[in-house]
Amino acid sequence: MSWTVRIAVELESDRGRFLRVSDPVPVETSLASTLALYDGLMAYPDRRAVRASIYSSDDDTDWYLATFVGGGAAQVDLTASTINNVAYATLPADVNLTVQTAAKLDLTTASDRDRDPNRVFTSEVNKPLYMPAGNTELLTMDDADRVQGFAANVTPVGASQYGFAPVIVGNRKTVHTLNVGTETVWQGSTLIATKGVASRTGITNANGVVYFISDDGIWTIAGRLGQLPVSSQLQDSAGVFEAELVGRSLTYVETGRGRRELWLHGGPESFVLSVDYGRWFTATRSRAELLAFNNVLYGSDGVRLYDEMETLDIRPIVLRTQPIRFDGYWARIEAMTVTGSAVTGLGFKLYDRGTEIKAGTIPASGVVRLPATNAKELEIELFGSRAGDGQTIDSIDLDVYVNRPARRRTR
Amino acid sequence: MPRRRKKSSPVNVPLGQLRKDVSGATAPVGALSVVQNLRPFGLVSRRGSVAHTPIEAENVVLPADRVTGTIVGLGRQVRDKRGIFSSQPSSSLDRFIIVTSSHVYVYDRPGDLVTEVYAFGSSSTDRRVQFAQIGLRTFLAVSDGPEASDPDALLMLQDDVCLEVAPPPPPVLSATAVSAANVDKLEVGVYLFRYAYELSDAVGDQIADPTIVALSRPYIHRQTVAGAVDFELVTVPQLGSWSQLIRRVGIYMTQKADETDTAQYLAAVPHLMNQPFYRVSSIETLEQGGSVRFADKSEKLPGYDALIDDNLFSHQLTPAAAFAYNRRLVVGDVSIDYAKPEANVVVYAGATAPPQIEAPFEPFVIPDGQTDYITITSVPDMRSASVVMAPPDYEYQFEGYNGAAWENAAAVDTAYSDVAGTYTQMRLRLTNTTNPDQAVQLTIDAANEYSSNQLVVSIEVAPT
């Protein structure tokens, strides 16, 4: 008959008791009629281990708790070393493998994998694989408030060098800072208690400022303790965009031509925030993954990798303003002046409350006369093809007459 | 109500502000609802303008057939030199890391060279990756599935080597007391020792103490004669890519306890467990038989470096989030797979104590023309044993047993080592053809036994 032995160690972390089981070790019973297991020292390399048990099996399927010679379950309480990360026990007697108790090792419920979603672990400097037990910080008590990602809100002075600036830890419901207090003591504090990071790739440093996606929009952390909405609820007219923020990605890219952009991507549409302007634009195409590499922006549509070097291909432009209101009154639009480089030939359409009221092209002067054009909520649309890169539309100026109620004269 | 016409007044519409979060009623003048192929342009101080952004060309840098799976992550591997794990002498120092649903690649853009460095066990387009570079190593924290899913893997990429950060199985080590000539240093007594792999963990040109991984649990060593102790690697498991990172096996030992009574030596354990371990030596040759001798007075051990044994990477940490911060690796949302207990069990025939194999073995007789078997069992780990058989003119043959091979199974009077890494047996078949009715004298030298007596010899009679 062939027997196997397993050692089970119970370990008590601050999240409960966990059972860790060794691989089965075969023992050959043909050697003798009686078998015993002997190890004068039972030890586990973690002082949180509290108990060790010896199980045996004759079918390699079900393991039952063995017994000590002289009686009693083959189970010992472990003692934690005072200075070493070890828990140990000396066995009081030999163990009969073939004399078992009824206690069966339940491998289906044995949980050997501990999950610590809201704790941060840090390594020693230059030793990424050395993570001392003391270099941890529990940020919240809420397991659902798990760590999503990290950033630092300064411009790095070298490769991943942030000086004394703390680590910003983006949890799912909250945002924290983590400081190195002394060489070994890490100090965490809550920075934002009401917002968290809604995506594992939804927090990043852009030109020294931390941006993150929360459930209610995209936010930035200015300085150490402030917060500023970049765009609360980038929500389109159908109202679906808000939900799609969860799971999307923020990537900062710095490329040639002075482009410093924060991309919101990973969904059906990509948006670009000009860091210099603090303004959002739609991207010409959506990208699943992005990377700025040697002054070139690279993007992936999922299966291919593209570079995004600009060319002189002609592509129509479309620009449409939000409705312009004139304090709620009717206005007569006398003229529209479009300034910029090479705006001549652009088409335009004017809408009032969604209805097209005028259309035409921009003349060489840039000034469009608009006789008999009245509107309460004016939308301006410009469209057409441009000849090349760098051509701009700087502004639109309107000459309007607004019909306002006359003020009553009083003595 | 009387109205009056005001004179014409200019309304400036500054451009560049895409706002989808506000309705027309609350949008500031100039906010845009649609912007296509335009990007902001000019200096910050300008109120705003947009520039035509021509469509980027469809420059496919990497066609779909160059990598397997869907691209789920893009990162960079930046090096200041090609390291010792670089298999491509002309590779760039700045390369793409491309993570797909099933693989990890490094992509050398100038050379247009795609190198597969890792394959996940399964394919998933839900994988998410966070990158953190510390020195020459880039760490990839990979999660799989929805946002709250478990972390998937922590990978470490250096040059062209990518491996999962999971501690390798520790080697098996033996400690044997020896009394060498002119060496009378290590005193008789009971010691505890541990061992671990030591990595050369200096990153870049930084000097750092080595990191230890796979630290063993403490073992008892009984120094029975004054002199020295030999530490020998009995087996080294398959280490894969770790073998390139591991520099040596470090040996750590406590000072002695004076208990020398064989029956009472366990009583010294609680005292020793609360003593510091000192790094007394290291085995540089990472192969079976690699050994080192340590000889020094116990009282001098505090002069050696003390072992700091609180590295959480003794367990397997798998984070979903990773970050490089001031040359530290910072991780969060961690799944911890605790180290497996070492089932260092000893199985023996008997009820009270493991047998001490003493030479010579009991003589026995094999009738003429018959075959008997001597079974030598190594439990549970490897050791070597010398077998000497007399008279020498017996026909003999060594066989592997239970699928395990024993080295050097062709000759007698040679050391036999179990190389299987697990509990194994060697069966010696003896056939008497020339000396009927003569006793066989079999000597088994268990000098290189493990830290406790674990060699079992038994006789089984098999049909001829």
Side-chain angles (χ1 to χ4, degrees):
Chain A
M1 182 177 292
S2 179
W3 287 73
T4 50
V5 179
R6 300 184 90 155
I7 308 293
V9 167
E10 292 169 60
L11 185 142
E12 251 179 12
S13 80
D14 55 2
R15 312 183 67 80
R17 183 169 285 209
F18 293 86
L19 183 67
R20 196 59 169 119
V21 182
S22 75
D23 291 329
V25 175
V27 293
E28 182 54 64
T29 58
S30 66
L31 295 173
S33 58
T34 304
L35 285 178
L37 180 147
Y38 179 85
D39 189 349
L41 179 61
M42 184 74 77
Y44 186 76
D46 193 318
R47 62 164 59 94
R48 295 174 297 174
V50 293
R51 190 159 63 171
S53 307
I54 301 164
Y55 290 84
S56 62
S57 169
D58 61 358
D59 58 7
D60 214 17
T61 302
D62 297 321
W63 282 266
Y64 292 90
L65 188 61
T67 57
F68 284 121
V69 171
Q75 202 164 50
V76 289
D77 291 333
L78 301 178
T79 302
S81 166
T82 55
I83 64 169
N84 296 301
N85 193 21
V86 173
Y88 69 97
T90 54
L91 295 185
D94 300 338
V95 176
N96 286 317
L97 300 180
T98 55
V99 181
Q100 299 170 311
T101 70
K104 182 180 175 182
L105 180 60
D106 188 355
L107 292 170
T108 59
T109 59
S111 174
D112 51 21
R113 188 173 283 271
D114 197 354
R115 180 78 184 276
D116 231 344
N118 42 16
R119 184 185 289 276
V120 172
F121 299 81
T122 56
S123 78
E124 290 293 271
V125 173
N126 279 334
K127 298 176 71 174
L129 293 181
Y130 179 39
M131 208 157 269
N135 281 14
T136 71
E137 180 73 16
L138 184 65
L139 295 172
T140 75
M141 300 300 290
D142 181 2
D143 276 3
D145 191 18
R146 63 188 175 275
V147 175
Q148 295 277 71
F150 303 95
N153 61 342
V154 293
T155 303
V157 295
S160 308
Q161 292 291 309
Y162 300 98
F164 293 105
V167 182
I168 305 291
V169 187
N171 283 31
R172 184 62 184 86
K173 298 177 180 176
T174 52
V175 178
H176 305 264
T177 60
L178 194 62
N179 275 85
V180 185
T182 67
E183 284 189 359
T184 55
V185 178
W186 290 77
Q187 298 166 339
S189 60
T190 301
L191 179 63
I192 303 170
T194 55
K195 292 185 191 305
V197 177
S199 166
R200 277 180 170 154
T201 49
I203 180 169
T204 190
N205 177 312
N207 196 35
V209 178
V210 171
Y211 292 80
F212 66 94
I213 301 171
S214 76
D215 289 314
D216 61 352
I218 299 170
W219 295 73
T220 183
I221 301 170
R224 288 191 59 182
L225 297 173
Q227 53 180 308
L228 177 71
V230 169
S231 175
S232 58
Q233 298 182 5
L234 266 174
Q235 190 171 7
D236 67 11
S237 56
V240 298
F241 190 75
E242 181 181 7
E244 290 179 3
L245 274 175
V246 176
R248 299 189 75 174
S249 302
L250 276 182
T251 300
Y252 176 64
V253 296
E254 201 167 310
T255 68
R257 301 170 185 260
R259 284 168 55 182
R260 299 191 297 179
E261 298 164 347
L262 182 73
W263 283 63
L264 172 67
H265 60 100
E269 216 176 0
S270 292
F271 293 84
V272 183
L273 171 70
S274 165
V275 171
D276 292 325
Y277 280 86
R279 290 172 179 168
W280 287 93
F281 291 84
T282 51
T284 50
R285 60 162 57 95
S286 185
R287 290 299 187 211
E289 302 295 331
L290 287 167
L291 180 70
F293 191 94
N294 294 342
N295 285 333
V296 177
L297 176 63
Y298 290 83
S300 161
D301 61 0
V303 294
R304 301 172 198 83
L305 186 65
Y306 300 89
D307 67 18
E308 309 275 341
M309 294 181 70
E310 294 171 355
T311 70
L312 298 181
D313 291 352
I314 296 172
R315 179 87 184 268
I317 64 165
V318 180
L319 178 150
R320 184 166 174 167
T321 68
Q322 291 271 17
I324 302 168
R325 297 182 138 222
F326 305 95
D327 296 334
Y329 304 114
W330 281 97
R332 195 177 79 208
I333 318 297
E334 295 278 321
M336 176 176 71
T337 303
V338 180
T339 56
S341 62
V343 297
T344 306
L346 284 178
F348 75 87
K349 288 180 181 176
L350 303 182
Y351 300 87
D352 180 35
R353 289 164 290 180
T355 302
E356 182 181 321
I357 56 175
K358 212 65 139 181
T361 56
I362 308 295
S365 64
V367 180
V368 181
R369 299 294 170 190
L370 299 165
T373 304
N374 297 294
K376 285 187 82 172
E377 296 181 8
L378 178 69
E379 294 173 72
I380 307 168
E381 182 176 300
L382 301 178
F383 57 93
S385 297
R386 297 289 78 211
D389 190 11
Q391 295 181 334
T392 63
I393 305 170
D394 292 330
S395 66
I396 302 172
D397 291 283
L398 303 173
D399 288 332
V400 298
Y401 289 91
V402 179
N403 290 319
R404 298 177 188 274
R407 281 183 292 183
R408 189 181 298 275
R409 289 175 179 271
T410 56
R411 287 181 181 271
Chain B
M1 179 175 293
R3 292 176 178 270
R4 72 186 181 98
R5 172 167 291 179
K6 296 184 67 175
K7 71 175 185 179
S8 175
S9 60
V11 174
N12 180 254
V13 184
L15 300 176
Q17 196 167 11
L18 174 69
R19 296 291 299 268
K20 289 198 169 190
D21 59 321
V22 290
S23 67
T26 56
V29 173
L32 304 178
S33 61
V34 176
V35 182
Q36 293 179 6
N37 305 315
L38 290 161
R39 287 207 175 100
F41 182 80
L43 301 175
V44 177
S45 58
R46 296 174 64 173
R47 286 201 62 194
S49 59
V50 292
H52 176 221
T53 303
I55 181 67
E56 54 270 29
E58 291 280 351
N59 286 337
V60 178
V61 174
L62 206 62
D65 59 354
R66 296 287 301 278
V67 297
T68 302
T70 303
I71 296 173
V72 297
L74 291 175
R76 290 176 77 169
Q77 181 195 51
V78 182
R79 303 175 291 176
D80 55 6
K81 60 186 175 186
R82 289 179 200 90
I84 58 175
F85 307 127
S86 183
S87 60
Q88 303 165 63
S90 60
S91 60
S92 299
L93 298 181
D94 195 351
R95 305 196 287 181
F96 286 85
I97 303 170
I98 299 175
V99 182
T100 72
S101 50
S102 57
H103 291 78
V104 179
Y105 301 87
V106 288
Y107 175 49
D108 190 351
R109 178 89 172 98
D112 193 32
L113 184 65
V114 177
T115 306
E116 177 189 323
V117 292
Y118 186 81
F120 292 104
S122 61
S123 179
S124 170
T125 56
D126 291 329
R127 284 202 166 88
R128 294 289 179 270
V129 191
Q130 295 189 19
F131 300 89
Q133 181 164 357
I134 313 285
L136 296 176
R137 295 175 185 165
T138 304
F139 292 84
L140 288 70
V142 184
S143 55
D144 189 10
E147 287 302 309
S149 64
D150 282 339
D152 190 23
L154 176 64
L155 305 179
M156 181 170 66
L157 174 66
Q158 185 167 354
D159 295 323
D160 302 331
V161 170
C162 184
L163 63 141
E164 190 170 358
V165 180
V172 176
L173 199 66
S174 71
T176 310
V178 295
S179 181
N182 301 321
V183 175
D184 186 14
K185 290 188 173 178
L186 194 67
E187 300 94 334
V188 170
V190 182
Y191 299 79
L192 291 181
F193 71 94
R194 307 177 76 176
Y195 47 92
Y197 298 117
E198 291 183 351
L199 312 183
S200 180
D201 201 34
V203 284
D205 295 326
Q206 301 293 318
I207 298 172
D209 294 332
T211 296
I212 60 173
V213 296
L215 179 64
S216 78
R217 59 121 156 156
Y219 288 89
I220 298 171
H221 168 63
R222 283 178 289 158
Q223 185 77 12
T224 53
V225 292
V229 55
D230 283 340
F231 295 98
E232 180 179 334
L233 285 176
V234 183
T235 58
V236 179
Q238 294 294 323
L239 296 172
S241 296
W242 279 95
S243 63
Q244 301 179 60
L245 301 176
I246 294 168
R247 290 288 180 266
R248 59 186 73 85
V249 172
I251 311 289
Y252 316 91
M253 202 164 74
T254 61
Q255 289 185 284
K256 73 179 174 71
D258 288 331
E259 184 58 64
T260 55
D261 185 339
T262 301
Q264 299 297 320
Y265 71 93
L266 286 176
V269 167
H271 168 70
L272 291 172
M273 280 290 182
N274 293 324
Q275 300 295 314
F277 287 79
Y278 300 99
R279 185 185 183 281
V280 295
S281 191
S282 63
I283 298 174
E284 304 292 327
T285 305
L286 265 178
E287 58 187 34
Q288 184 183 358
S291 64
V292 69
R293 174 168 294 178
F294 173 71
D296 207 344
K297 298 280 189 185
S298 170
E299 64 188 28
K300 292 189 176 178
L301 261 58
Y304 292 82
D305 291 337
L307 169 69
I308 302 172
D309 66 340
D310 63 343
N311 189 358
L312 291 172
F313 270 119
S314 291
H315 308 302
Q316 183 177 348
L317 271 61
T318 308
F323 187 59
Y325 174 75
N326 291 354
R327 291 186 175 269
R328 297 175 191 264
L329 178 64
V330 181
V331 298
D333 193 0
V334 172
S335 169
I336 304 172
D337 193 3
Y338 292 114
K340 286 182 179 179
E342 291 177 47
N344 190 34
V345 297
V346 178
V347 180
Y348 62 94
T352 56
Q356 179 84 35
I357 303 303
E358 301 288 354
F361 192 74
E362 188 72 22
F364 65 100
V365 174
I366 303 175
D368 185 19
Q370 289 202 11
T371 297
D372 276 359
Y373 292 84
I374 304 296
T375 302
I376 301 173
T377 305
S378 145
V379 184
D381 303 304
M382 283 38 56
R383 70 212 63 255
S384 62
S386 296
V387 179
V388 179
M389 192 165 61
D393 52 354
Y394 271 71
E395 183 180 322
Y396 47 84
Q397 183 176 347
F398 295 95
E399 294 179 344
Y401 194 63
N402 285 348
W406 284 66
E407 280 189 344
N408 200 1
V412 179
D413 199 11
T414 308
Y416 297 93
S417 299
D418 178 349
V419 296
T422 57
Y423 158 86
T424 57
Q425 294 178 318
M426 177 183 73
R427 192 157 62 163
L428 170 64
R429 186 176 68 187
L430 305 167
T431 303
N432 184 356
T433 56
T434 57
N435 296 287
D437 304 319
Q438 188 171 351
V440 175
Q441 183 79 30
L442 190 66
T443 301
I444 297 177
D445 174 11
N448 292 323
E449 64 191 272
Y450 203 45
S451 55
S452 58
N453 303 310
Q454 300 168 5
L455 194 64
V456 178
V457 177
S458 62
I459 300 171
E460 64 176 319
V461 178
T464 55

